[in-house]
């Protein structure tokens, strides 16, 4: 997958005419796209930097669409997927949607339905990328804490008062106040509630000595 900051639609279908038709539609709509005949070809490319989505045929030689969806999910690659198929059924559709697919379209589909699904997929991908960026920044801040500051943060967000934290750690209350201040500064937390929300996003263990 080519590294681009602009939105990209990746089309995977073993039917050359279908790929060309979809890419023609996307080109007319002003959208950049890349196409592949198999899932294996797609997997050999690099993860895109900008918003993207995948228009994926269910029936493919080798790794099929649903298996590719599972592999991408297992690898933590959350690209939004729009399934297309010439012979879909209700169980297949339910499985795809439950696994996170944006849409499941049966060929021949209405062009606007595909374009609408792609826009929804781009919106979802932008939100996901923003959330990943926020989480990565929170992790960087947390990693800047000392081992003792991590302990203080864990105990504070568990609901302990400074004097309780001091007793738990075998130190003075004034020392805890100073360390708590360092935590708030390094984590850029405006309040205790803000710090608690950060800890929840980081899924930190709390109340650990």
């Amino acid at each position: 997958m080519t590294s681009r900051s602009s939105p990209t639609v990746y089309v995977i279908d073993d039917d050359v005419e279908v790929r060309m038709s979809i890419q023609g539609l996307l080109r007319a709509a002003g959208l950049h796209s890349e196409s592949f005949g198999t899932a294996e070809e797609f997997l050999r490319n690099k993860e895109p930097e900008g918003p993207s989505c995948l228009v994926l045929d269910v029936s493919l030689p080798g790794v099929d669409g649903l298996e590719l969806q599972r592999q991408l999910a297992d690898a933590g690659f959350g690209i939004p997927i729009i399934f297309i198929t010439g012979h879909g059924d209700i169980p297949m559709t339910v499985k795809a949607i439950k696994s996170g697919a944006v849409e499941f379209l049966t060929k021949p589909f209405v062009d606007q339905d595909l374009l609408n699904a792609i826009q929804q997929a781009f919106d979802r991908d932008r939100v996901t990328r923003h959330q990943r960026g926020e989480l990565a920044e929170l992790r960087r801040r947390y990693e800047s804490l000392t081992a003792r500051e991590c302990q203080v943060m864990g105990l504070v967000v568990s609901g302990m008062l400074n004097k309780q934290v001091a007793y738990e750690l075998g130190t003075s209350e004034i020392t805890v106040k100073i360390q708590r201040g360092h935590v708030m500064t390094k984590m850029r937390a405006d309040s205790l509630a803000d710090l608690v929300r950060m800890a929840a996003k980081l899924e930190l263990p709390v109340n650990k000595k």
Side-chain angles (χ1 to χ4, degrees), residues 80-171:
I81 297 175
I82 300 159
F83 278 107
I84 55 175
T85 182
H87 47 78
D89 54 39
I90 292 177
M92 185 185 294
T93 303
V94 170
K95 181 178 180 180
I97 297 298
K98 280 188 174 181
S99 296
V102 174
E103 186 58 274
F104 197 103
L105 302 175
T106 303
K107 304 173 185 175
F109 46 78
V110 177
D111 289 351
Q112 192 58 49
D113 287 346
L114 177 59
L115 293 175
N116 290 344
I118 287 171
Q119 186 57 57
Q120 181 182 347
F122 281 156
D123 291 342
R124 180 187 293 188
D125 198 38
R126 288 188 182 95
V127 170
T128 300
R129 287 172 179 275
H130 178 70
Q131 291 173 340
R132 283 205 302 258
E134 284 189 332
L135 184 57
E137 173 60 24
L138 278 181
R139 284 178 178 150
R140 282 193 290 271
R141 295 177 194 173
Y142 184 71
E143 288 168 1
S144 74
L145 302 181
T146 64
R148 177 47 62 92
E149 287 167 354
C150 288
Q151 289 179 307
V152 169
M153 178 174 170
L155 295 170
V156 167
V157 298
S158 75
M160 287 189 179
L161 301 174
N162 287 344
K163 62 182 180 181
Q164 294 172 313
V165 174
Y167 178 79
E168 183 75 11
L169 297 178
T171 188

Side-chain angles (χ1 to χ4, degrees), residues 29-44:
L31 296 172
H32 174 75
S33 67
E34 296 181 22
S35 69
F36 306 87
T38 66
E40 289 84 351
E41 289 178 29
F42 173 77
L43 291 171
R44 284 195 290 267

